[in-house]
Amino acid sequence: MYRVLVPVDDDVDRALAQARYVANLPDAAENVEAIVLFVFTGDAEDLPEDVQQFKSASRIQSVRRAQEFLEDAGVDVQVRDDSGDTVDDIIADADEYDVDAIVLGGRKRSPAGKAVFGSVTQSVILNADRPVVVTGEDA
């Protein structure tokens, strides 16, 4: 079984591009397992207790749409969430689930934008010890 980690943010189009890539892998329906990950930034303990129960990846539209797309393509899917530092969580989850690859959704940024705001994609590429695929945005 070929296992991929698919970290998505809240952008539905990027999440669908990632899901489309995974679904188009050779024999995806028979041989691919996808783990869709959403990382909540910040600490869950900062939220009121009655709100913490609603902090779930399955409530995020981009996660639901990617999951539905993959399930419709016959790909085995798990949905996971985490909270904290996005890059660290992606790397840690890739290790924990022993994935064969990480499939990220790229977005266009100017060099100045990357320098000022950082780049999750760039940091994952530089720090991951496994293949990282970056999908483009659908037009």
Side-chain angles (χ1 to χ4, degrees), residues 58-106:
S58 61
R59 298 181 61 84
I60 307 297
Q61 183 180 17
S62 58
V63 172
R64 287 194 319 268
R65 296 284 302 278
Q67 179 182 14
E68 290 168 2
F69 186 93
L70 290 165
E71 288 174 345
D72 288 348
V75 176
D76 290 335
V77 183
Q78 297 179 43
V79 173
R80 299 280 185 250
D81 59 51
D82 213 329
S83 62
D85 179 85
T86 305
V87 174
D88 290 344
D89 288 344
I90 291 170
I91 300 295
D93 285 4
D95 290 340
E96 179 181 344
Y97 298 111
D98 193 27
V99 299
D100 296 294
I102 301 169
V103 179
L104 295 172

Side-chain angles (χ1 to χ4, degrees), residues 5-10 14 18 37-43 55 81-95 102-105 107 109 117-125 127-128:
L5 182 66
V6 186
V8 299
D9 60 13
D10 59 359
R14 269 195 302 272
Q18 290 167 263
L37 171 69
F38 186 86
V39 178
F40 292 94
T41 55
D43 196 359
K55 190 174 181 180
D81 59 51
D82 213 329
S83 62
D85 179 85
T86 305
V87 174
D88 290 344
D89 288 344
I90 291 170
I91 300 295
D93 285 4
D95 290 340
I102 301 169
V103 179
L104 295 172
R107 61 177 152 176
R109 277 200 175 153
F117 300 109
S119 170
V120 169
T121 301
Q122 181 178 15
S123 295
V124 171
I125 290 169
N127 293 298

